Amino acid sequence: MKGRKRHVVVDVLGLVLGCYVTAANTADVKAAPAVLLWVLDLYERIAKVLADKGYRGRLATLIQRAFRERQVELEISQRLEESKGFQVEPKRWIIERTWTWLENARILTRDYERLPENHEGMIYVVMIRLMLRRLTKNRRRWKSSSA
């Protein structure tokens, strides 16, 4: 998607806990505190945050300062060994699966909204729809009960 960058915090099941949409030229490290600190404050049981290499920098010290009473650890994913070619990073598939779920939604494939806040809302709506489908075992209509 041109012009937008989505920063998403997910749980171990890949369900969205929080998201933040910025302009595409915003660095990951600058936008991460806006969503990550809010999610860590909202969900007190989070003890470890896994992030990719785009979030290196002062983010770890910022989290430690903000949550001194809690031990929240930031782990930046690294390749297992320095070799050329494609290599699967541990736990990276969780967020990649979430991106795939979001891209399956037609409303998120194009940039229909003018405001980034509206795009964030659409991400939440798509995830709510996904979770409701799972709860109803992927039925599109209610079964009519015959008496």
Side-chain angles (χ1 to χ4, degrees):
M1 171 175 302
K2 289 184 178 183
R4 305 273 171 129
K5 189 181 283 189
R6 298 181 238 176
H7 306 274
V8 177
V9 179
V10 298
D11 62 358
V12 293
L13 296 175
L15 303 176
V16 174
L17 299 177
C19 71
Y20 184 59
V21 178
T22 61
N25 62 354
T26 306
D28 292 338
V29 176
K30 303 245 185 218
V35 68
L36 191 56
L37 296 178
W38 176 75
V39 167
L40 288 174
D41 192 37
L42 189 62
Y43 300 100
E44 297 175 355
R45 294 182 59 185
I46 295 177
K48 189 174 196 178
V49 177
L50 301 173
D52 64 357
K53 295 175 193 138
Y55 295 97
R56 284 181 290 191
R58 297 179 294 162
L59 188 60
T61 57
L62 182 65
I63 290 173
Q64 288 174 354
R65 271 193 230 143
F67 300 100
R68 287 183 184 162
E69 65 278 356
R70 289 172 37 197
Q71 294 296 325
V72 179
E73 178 187 352
L74 177 69
E75 181 181 318
I76 305 295
S77 65
Q78 301 290 329
R79 287 189 173 192
L80 297 176
E81 57 185 52
E82 292 298 322
S83 62
K84 292 185 179 182
F86 177 76
Q87 191 175 26
V88 178
E89 295 179 12
K91 303 287 186 185
R92 178 71 186 172
W93 62 271
I94 297 171
I95 187 66
E96 293 299 332
R97 179 179 59 181
T98 303
W99 289 126
T100 304
W101 291 338
L102 291 175
E103 288 299 319
N104 284 335
R106 187 175 183 176
I107 198 156
L108 295 178
T109 57
R110 299 269 184 210
D111 197 9
Y112 293 117
E113 294 83 21
R114 287 186 178 194
L115 299 175
E117 293 84 12
N118 294 346
H119 193 81
E120 286 176 27
M122 287 296 124
I123 291 173
Y124 288 124
V125 167
V126 168
M127 287 308 294
I128 289 169
R129 182 174 170 250
L130 179 88
M131 289 185 285
L132 285 174
R133 277 244 177 108
R134 288 183 180 178
L135 287 173
T136 60
K137 302 206 184 338
N138 210 11
R139 289 191 304 248
R140 293 187 185 259
R141 276 185 254 157
W142 293 101
K143 291 183 179 180
S144 61
S145 58
S146 57

